[in-house]
Amino acid sequence: MKQKIGLLVMAYGTPEKEADLMPYYTSIRRGYAPTEEEVAVLKRRYEAIGGLSPLADITRGQAERLVKQLNESSNDIEYELFVGHKHMAPFIEDAVSSMHEAGITEAVAIVMAPYFSMFATASYFERAKRRAARYGLMISEVTAWNEEPEFLAYWCKALQETLDVVKDKQVGVIFTAHSLPYHVIHMGDTYPQVVEATAHHIAEQVGLTQYSMAWQSAGVRGDWLTPDVAEVTRQVANSVEAIVYVPIGFVCDHLEILYDNDIACKALCDELQVMYERVPMPNTDETFVKAMAQAVRRVPIKDE
Ligand code: FEC
């Protein structure tokens, strides 16, 4: 009989209706409610991308393909899928409780964010493990999966295909990832270095001699990791006809891509009179899902 293992897929989460905006934003702010005005600004950003973010549906699609790939390739393990969000129900804790109710005693957890970060990914695992401790449920983690060959293969191919679209133009390439507050960086988070190393690797594979790295989607309060994408866009635009954005920090289409890149960066490119191009996000791409599956398989499972 196959050994049953829980597969805990954790992702950011997104509001499902207008009434979710306040609790969602309050969760992002670690329990401190935003002002009505801040919520109104956020609402306008969601409206600009069509009202809701596709994030929840895409996360579900990614998770379902992941568990399918894992189960099709394993003779001795059967993974059972549970999805939990950081900022929206079902929360990470709900998913762990559901695993326990389903009789799961051992699970592998993966975050839909590929780079290890004390601030970002580690907090998902902490929450999962804290709830799992109640039940004596053992959770092993995929700490990071940005070095999986299929992860790099996806971005190299997608970037090359986008460069082919603008091959007649002088092009600037900007790799982007979510910014982090500076106080987190000062605590020693290695996230900026690993993201930059990944950008370097992809650029080298694609044969780029020049590219830039920028941090996007910084919050409205405090100091954030720089250079910001708008600043880099202004610099790069001085010497090119088109800019290709490569958001390697994210795994799918959501607010930060559809608004911060496709609306905000595009508007800046229009103002600076350069063409805007963005590499397609991985979403449920098979090669990309393979990267996650490979990372899950690398996690040792205790024999029964
Ligand atoms: O599509 C959607 O509905 C959700 C898209 C979304 C993703 C995402 C990923 C990350 N965030 C990270 C850090 C922060 C920090 C703050 C912050 C604020 C927001 C707000 C929204 C939002 N984030 Fe997010 N993030 C997404 C959405 N994020 C909405 C609130 C409005 C705003 O400030 O822009 C600032 C908190 C504060 O103000 O105190 C910090 C990191 C990631 C990537 C890793 C991960 O996915 O966990 C890091 C997707």
Side-chain angles (χ1 to χ4, degrees):
M1 208 173 82
K2 286 189 176 185
Q3 187 183 357
K4 206 181 212 189
I5 297 287
L7 175 69
L8 176 61
V9 172
M10 297 182 285
Y12 206 79
T14 184
E16 284 174 13
K17 51 188 181 316
E18 198 183 321
D20 292 337
L21 279 174
M22 183 56 104
Y24 177 69
Y25 208 164
T26 304
S27 166
I28 291 176
R29 291 262 172 95
R30 293 157 189 260
Y32 295 99
T35 62
E36 292 290 342
E37 200 187 321
E38 284 171 326
V39 174
V41 171
L42 184 58
K43 182 174 168 230
R44 281 200 291 278
R45 285 169 58 204
Y46 279 107
E47 278 167 0
I49 65 160
L52 285 178
S53 166
L55 179 61
D57 286 346
I58 300 174
T59 298
R60 190 82 220 167
Q62 289 174 319
E64 279 167 1
R65 279 172 176 76
L66 172 60
V67 78
K68 187 164 178 279
Q69 272 197 22
L70 285 167
N71 285 336
E72 281 172 0
S73 64
S74 174
N75 294 324
D76 46 5
I77 295 175
E78 168 136 16
Y79 291 92
E80 190 173 336
L81 175 64
F82 297 84
V83 176
H85 301 135
K86 196 174 192 181
H87 298 301
M88 183 51 52
F91 292 103
I92 294 167
E93 291 78 3
D94 301 328
V96 175
S97 293
S98 301
M99 281 203 286
H100 170 67
E101 282 153 25
I104 304 277
T105 55
E106 186 174 355
V108 178
I110 182 168
V111 184
M112 294 293 102
Y115 306 89
F116 175 74
S117 158
M118 272 154 51
F119 173 81
T121 50
S123 62
Y124 286 82
F125 294 123
E126 265 167 42
R127 280 174 57 177
K129 287 186 170 177
R130 203 176 315 130
R131 176 55 63 99
R134 270 193 202 178
Y135 311 121
L137 198 164
M138 196 177 105
I139 295 189
S140 309
E141 55 194 73
V142 174
T143 323
W145 43 281
N146 58 295
E147 287 184 5
E148 291 297 336
E150 289 87 356
F151 174 86
L152 298 165
Y154 172 83
W155 284 110
C156 288
K157 182 167 178 281
L159 171 55
Q160 188 58 65
E161 285 172 1
T162 310
L163 288 172
D164 290 346
V165 175
V166 286
K167 64 175 182 295
D168 300 331
K169 304 212 177 299
Q170 270 203 301
V171 178
V173 173
I174 306 180
F175 289 89
T176 68
H178 204 295
S179 186
L180 282 187
Y182 254 124
H183 69 86
V184 177
I185 307 298
H186 290 145
M187 282 163 65
D189 203 316
T190 52
Y191 165 88
Q193 290 91 309
V194 288
V195 175
E196 282 184 48
T198 306
H200 182 74
H201 191 84
I202 295 167
E204 213 170 49
Q205 291 290 306
V206 173
L208 291 179
T209 48
Q210 265 201 325
Y211 67 89
S212 306
M213 178 78 226
W215 307 99
Q216 66 167 84
S217 313
V220 285
R221 296 181 184 180
D223 288 334
W224 289 67
L225 184 60
T226 53
D228 180 74
V229 70
E231 182 190 336
V232 176
T233 298
R234 288 185 186 280
Q235 284 161 7
V236 173
N238 283 330
S239 52
V240 300
E241 295 164 296
I243 298 183
V244 171
Y245 294 82
V246 200
I248 54 166
F250 299 100
V251 300
C252 68
D253 290 311
H254 48 59
L255 185 72
E256 312 297 69
I257 297 297
L258 303 176
Y259 190 89
D260 294 349
N261 291 86
D262 293 355
I263 295 181
C265 290
K266 162 92 171 55
L268 185 55
C269 284
D270 289 350
E271 180 196 318
L272 300 168
Q273 298 184 340
V274 290
M275 191 176 162
Y276 170 87
E277 283 292 337
R278 186 205 13 108
V279 172
M281 297 309 287
N283 296 329
T284 52
D285 175 86
E286 212 185 316
T287 305
F288 199 75
V289 174
K290 260 189 201 155
M292 300 182 216
Q294 200 48 36
V296 170
R297 281 190 211 102
R298 288 186 206 285
V299 176
I301 300 295
K302 202 172 61 178
D303 282 333
E304 289 221 294

